Amino acid sequence: MIKVEWLYWLVGLVFVVMAVQMAADRSNPKRWTSAAFWGLLGLTFPYGTGVANGEAHNGGWTLPAEPLGVAVLVLIVLAGFNFLGKGVPVTTTAEQREASAARLGSKIFVPALTIPVVAIICASVLDDSGLFETGKATLIGLGVGCVVALVVGMLVTGERKISVPLHSGRSMLEAMGSALLLPQLLAVLGSIFALAGVGTQVGKIVDDVLPDNSKYLAVLAYCLGMFLFTVIMGNAFAAFPVMTAAIGWPVLIQQMHGNEAAVLAIGMLAGFAGTLCTPMAANFNIVPATLLELKDQYGPIKAQIPTAIPLLGCCIVIMAVFAF
């Protein structure tokens, strides 16, 4: 049985290998601290398995959680004090890339399309085969799809050295920096807020303000809350547990008997509208501007707001009309 932990270990291994590359790159003025950041992050993946085994009391090798917490604090210091740098990317010349693009044409999209195809096959066809860990077929399929896409990409381009995609991935990693971890950190923040009872307290405030049985005002509060919390927190997955615990589940579903799937899915979409409008979603809005070398780092947000606001309005209308 293929376990999801193996996928995490593979991700950690990739980070460690790229950290070694960074340490050897003399063009990076912060090569040692950059290598320390990504190498330490990579080691937390297998170490986290040991910590989880200990907490679950399910046998296997167990490790204390305290070193993992120290590692997280070290990562915060390295990223927060700007100890991450970029080296000169190992790549082809502009002329070589233009010639390669002309030769490959539309074939260049084959590796990217391989990932969702493999993930869908794993989730829909192989889910009950016993090949994958129960309930993890989609996530494992995504990881398998990435590995298959790497092989397909090398075959399509005629590349024979695995070091070439690793160097390209390292360049992308250095360009994105610590913002790469922002979605995971914000999702964890949402879970912490939920465990701390933030959603419950917000629900009490909303319950005191909203008139009884006011379906449309409750829908408006839920969608606007998802939008605004996402703008503040930078991730709809972080806002979701808070607003759903406050309004979505107790008011719209339990009290007003809304359709569970419709209310929650549309609420999440309202949160995604907020993602389009916030620099807190750095991986979506700030990093692309850096990678594309745009003059205005807030250019993507300015371009997305005219879509985000009508999308929020559509979410409110659709939920109010079709979710009950």
Side-chain angles (χ1 to χ4, degrees):
M1 179 187 295
I2 299 176
K3 298 182 178 181
V4 71
E5 286 297 323
W6 300 355
L7 171 60
Y8 296 140
W9 296 350
L10 177 60
V11 173
L13 177 61
V14 171
F15 282 145
V16 171
V17 171
M18 291 183 176
V20 173
Q21 291 180 329
M22 292 176 191
D25 184 6
R26 296 182 180 275
S27 66
N28 184 352
K30 302 176 181 178
R31 60 183 178 130
W32 294 114
T33 48
S34 297
F37 180 89
W38 295 110
L40 186 59
L41 176 64
L43 293 175
T44 62
F45 283 78
Y47 192 93
T49 299
V51 174
N53 286 342
E55 292 178 349
H57 303 289
N58 60 354
W61 47 285
T62 60
L63 296 170
E66 289 78 8
L68 192 60
V70 173
V72 172
L73 294 176
V74 173
L75 293 176
I76 292 172
V77 170
L78 291 173
F81 287 91
N82 195 28
F83 285 124
L84 303 186
K86 295 188 293 184
V88 177
V90 180
T91 184
T92 55
T93 64
E95 292 76 13
Q96 289 174 322
R97 289 194 292 273
E98 290 179 2
S100 179
R103 176 175 59 86
L104 294 173
S106 298
K107 292 181 181 179
I108 196 65
F109 296 105
V110 173
L113 295 174
T114 300
I115 299 176
V117 170
V118 173
I120 291 173
I121 292 174
C122 292
S124 59
V125 179
L126 302 177
D127 189 15
D128 298 325
S129 65
L131 182 63
F132 302 130
E133 181 180 349
T134 305
K136 304 294 185 180
T138 302
L139 182 57
I140 295 174
L142 178 62
V144 173
C146 291
V147 175
V148 174
L150 173 61
V151 176
V152 171
M154 295 182 67
L155 292 175
V156 169
T157 59
E159 182 57 58
R160 295 294 179 265
K161 296 180 179 179
I162 189 64
S163 60
V164 173
L166 283 174
H167 278 296
S168 298
R170 176 175 65 89
S171 298
M172 183 70 71
L173 196 67
E174 289 177 336
M176 296 182 68
S178 59
L180 179 70
L181 306 180
L182 192 58
Q184 291 80 8
L185 296 176
L186 291 173
V188 171
L189 180 62
S191 300
I192 293 174
F193 277 10
L195 291 174
V198 175
T200 302
Q201 297 304 317
V202 173
K204 291 180 180 179
I205 295 173
V206 172
D207 188 56
D208 292 337
V209 173
L210 287 178
D212 293 337
N213 298 318
S214 178
K215 178 181 71 176
Y216 297 117
L217 287 179
V219 167
L220 182 65
Y222 182 48
C223 290
L224 283 177
M226 279 295 301
F227 180 88
L228 293 175
F229 261 79
T230 301
V231 168
I232 295 171
M233 303 174 73
N235 193 306
F237 290 100
F240 184 75
V242 175
M243 293 309 303
T244 298
I247 305 174
W249 186 262
V251 178
L252 295 178
I253 295 175
Q254 291 187 321
Q255 181 179 331
M256 299 182 179
H257 308 292
N259 180 276
E260 297 176 11
V263 169
L264 300 182
I266 298 170
M268 181 65 81
L269 185 58
F272 291 157
T275 302
L276 299 175
C277 301
T278 176
M280 288 296 293
N283 56 311
F284 287 104
N285 300 328
I286 303 301
V287 170
T290 302
L291 295 177
L292 296 174
E293 298 180 353
L294 300 181
K295 295 181 180 179
D296 184 1
Q297 66 171 339
Y298 299 112
I301 296 176
K302 294 176 182 177
Q304 291 164 177
I305 288 177
T307 299
I309 301 304
L311 176 61
L312 173 62
C314 290
C315 289
I316 295 172
V317 173
I318 293 172
M319 185 182 294
V321 175
F322 296 105
F324 300 91

